[in-house]
Amino acid sequence: MDQPSGEFDLIARYFTRPARGAVLGVGDDCALLAPGAGMQLAVAADMLVEGRHFFAGTDPQALGHKALAVNLSDLAAMGAQPWAFLLALALPDADASWLAAFSAGMFALADAHGIELVGGDTTRGPRNLCITVLGQLPAGQALRRDAARAGDQLWVSGTPGDARLALGQLRGEWRIAGFDAALRARLERPTPRVALGLALRGVAHAAIDVSDGLLGDLGHLLRASGVGAEVDVDAIPASAPLAAQPSARRRDCQLAGGDDYELLFTAPADARDAVLRAADAAATPVACIGRIDAAPGLRLRDAAGAALHDTYASFDHFRRP
Ligand code: ADP
Ligand code: MG
């Protein structure tokens, strides 16, 4: 593969495609976009840093997927319809085969969601992938994290903990039987729950996506809403490989794992059927894992109803020891 001759050739070859919905896409000082009447913009950015969020040598196609997926997950958590995105990229070198695979992974997911790359920035530096996503939603209908109410049921999508289980295997923390491509994909190619977020608009009260560990992200939702929760720890669905782990490891992965990109949301108890219909429409499994109480704090119970201590810290890049 011949190498790009410079920054603009690189952008033209790997990151420029014909504009679709945008008034003006890649190439000018700004992109131009026209949101629909009565719509609000939902905007989020997420950065992946080599050595911090992914190992050097990670499959570039998977990285392209994940860099966009983690951003789409933020739109999903607000109930926003993905619309467009920008890519700010620092690369140690202009390696054609890395760029081709990275952009293929990113555009495959973009095409699956019907969204387009409208701009960005490209510079030399330690490998760093930063995407900004834009979504749209009818004004006032966002699923905010401050909207949980006492009496709501607490729900989660999918099987949280898989990404952490896969990470432990790749880091050599444990060697599990049956580690396979499907489990590895839960870490490297997460599925943003966009359809579920859209289907939950008007049904759920509050939502957040689980990126730093279920209990930590639940804590953000509870504090923002000024409420507490009781969580039935054994009601959290486990994948087959996770269910096969000793219960302490399973709980560590499920409650404090991170990189799940599942949706954690609350809905009134009488919306239970509507939640199940939304999950069905989105072809995304969900499970009720607890309830929201007026009393602040987090109370964990096992299947027998016994109280468990919350020792599950979530991930914080700047936490002091
Ligand atoms: P400026 O000098 O105005 O900041 P640049 O020279 O950085 O613009 O980029 C030229 C054009 O290419 C702009 O439209 C910018 O949005 C786009 N662009 C730069 N890097 C990327 C990228 N990685 N992906 C998509 N578009 C990019
Ligand atoms: Mg620039």
Side-chain angles (χ1 to χ4, degrees):
M1 223 180 276
D2 60 325
Q3 303 298 332
S5 62
E7 179 185 332
F8 298 99
D9 182 40
L10 185 163
I11 295 166
R13 271 163 66 171
Y14 300 106
F15 301 115
T16 308
R17 303 198 311 176
R20 297 206 248 182
V23 178
L24 188 63
V26 168
D28 211 319
D29 295 308
C30 291
L32 298 174
L33 298 162
M39 302 297 269
Q40 276 177 338
L41 278 186
V43 184
D46 242 315
M47 182 158 69
L48 299 184
V49 177
E50 184 170 278
R52 191 76 202 169
H53 300 96
F54 60 92
F55 301 114
T58 299
D59 170 10
Q61 190 162 354
L63 273 182
H65 173 100
K66 186 164 179 175
L68 183 56
V70 302
N71 278 280
L72 290 175
S73 178
D74 284 322
L75 292 181
M78 296 302 276
Q81 177 73 57
W83 188 25
F85 64 106
L86 297 112
L87 170 67
L89 198 57
L91 298 172
D93 50 36
D95 175 341
S97 67
W98 191 94
L99 282 159
F102 174 82
S103 73
M106 183 184 73
F107 281 126
L109 185 63
D111 290 345
H113 290 274
I115 63 171
E116 65 186 312
L117 178 62
V118 295
D121 200 19
T122 305
T123 175
R124 191 184 290 273
R127 201 179 308 277
N128 188 335
L129 322 167
C130 182
I131 287 183
T132 301
V133 276
L134 305 173
Q136 295 193 56
L137 75 175
Q141 287 190 26
L143 303 174
R144 297 166 50 138
R145 63 178 67 173
D146 62 2
R149 296 292 170 261
D152 281 0
Q153 289 180 320
L154 179 67
W155 299 79
V156 74
S157 66
T159 53
D162 295 340
R164 182 65 184 86
L165 186 63
L167 178 66
Q169 174 85 10
L170 296 177
R171 274 190 188 157
E173 286 171 77
W174 45 68
R175 286 196 63 80
I176 62 169
F179 180 74
D180 61 6
L183 184 59
R184 187 173 183 143
R186 295 280 291 154
L187 174 67
E188 294 187 342
R189 303 183 58 87
T191 303
R193 302 302 194 182
V194 171
L196 180 63
L198 290 171
L200 287 172
R201 232 159 50 192
V203 174
H205 276 163
I208 190 169
D209 70 320
V210 180
S211 53
D212 297 329
L214 191 153
L215 293 187
D217 287 319
L218 174 58
H220 296 312
L221 183 151
L222 298 178
R223 276 187 293 278
S225 298
V227 294
E230 184 168 296
V231 176
D232 303 325
V233 167
D234 292 326
I236 302 172
S239 63
L242 202 53
Q245 303 306 307
S247 75
R249 180 183 298 161
R250 173 171 55 79
R251 283 181 181 156
D252 271 343
C253 290
Q254 289 178 313
L255 298 175
D259 258 356
D260 294 305
Y261 304 104
E262 296 296 348
L263 293 191
L264 185 64
F265 59 96
T266 81
D270 63 10
R272 191 182 178 84
D273 289 345
V275 168
L276 294 173
R277 278 196 302 275
D280 213 44
T284 306
V286 299
C288 181
I289 61 164
R291 69 226 116 252
I292 302 295
D293 307 320
L298 192 53
R299 292 158 288 279
L300 307 182
R301 302 212 170 276
D302 68 11
L308 302 174
H309 279 297
D310 170 12
T311 55
Y312 303 97
S314 82
F315 192 74
D316 176 339
H317 286 284
F318 292 100
R319 173 169 295 166
R320 289 188 217 158

